[in-house]
Amino acid sequence: WRDGMSGLSAIKVHVDDNYLHVDLADGRRISTPIQWYPELEQASIKTLKSYQFICDATGIEWPDIDYQLSIEAMLSTDKNVA
């Protein structure tokens, strides 16, 4: 991880109608538009609730749809980082 992002680890994920929210261990919450992630936007509520943390909680996986997302990607302005 670059620029001091190594300490970013997730503790909770929540999706509402407009945003993907990830609570971090240091108390911050990252929120990004759910439309940035078409696979998640089209997934069922049950699928969205069925996530697991990967890579020492620096990433999130939704096994039912084979989708992974890193915290770094959520913070990036380049939407091609996954």
Side-chain angles (χ1 to χ4, degrees):
W1 293 74
R2 60 185 182 271
D3 302 324
M5 287 193 226
S6 61
L8 297 179
S9 60
I11 58 171
K12 185 177 177 186
V13 175
H14 172 73
V15 180
D16 62 30
D17 290 341
N18 299 304
Y19 292 94
L20 169 65
H21 306 283
V22 177
D23 293 342
L24 303 179
D26 66 6
R28 289 181 286 173
R29 173 177 277 182
I30 300 170
S31 298
T32 54
I34 193 69
Q35 66 188 15
W36 285 2
Y37 319 105
E39 296 88 347
L40 298 179
E41 188 176 34
Q42 296 170 12
S44 70
I45 299 287
K46 180 180 176 185
T47 296
L48 293 173
K49 288 183 177 184
S50 180
Y51 65 87
Q52 60 191 29
F53 296 115
I54 56 174
C55 303
D56 293 326
T58 61
I60 309 153
E61 178 178 38
W62 288 267
D64 295 344
I65 56 173
D66 191 30
Y67 189 78
Q68 300 82 33
L69 179 64
S70 71
I71 293 171
E72 181 180 20
M74 291 183 72
L75 295 170
S76 175
T77 56
D78 178 1
K79 298 305 155 235
N80 294 317
V81 176

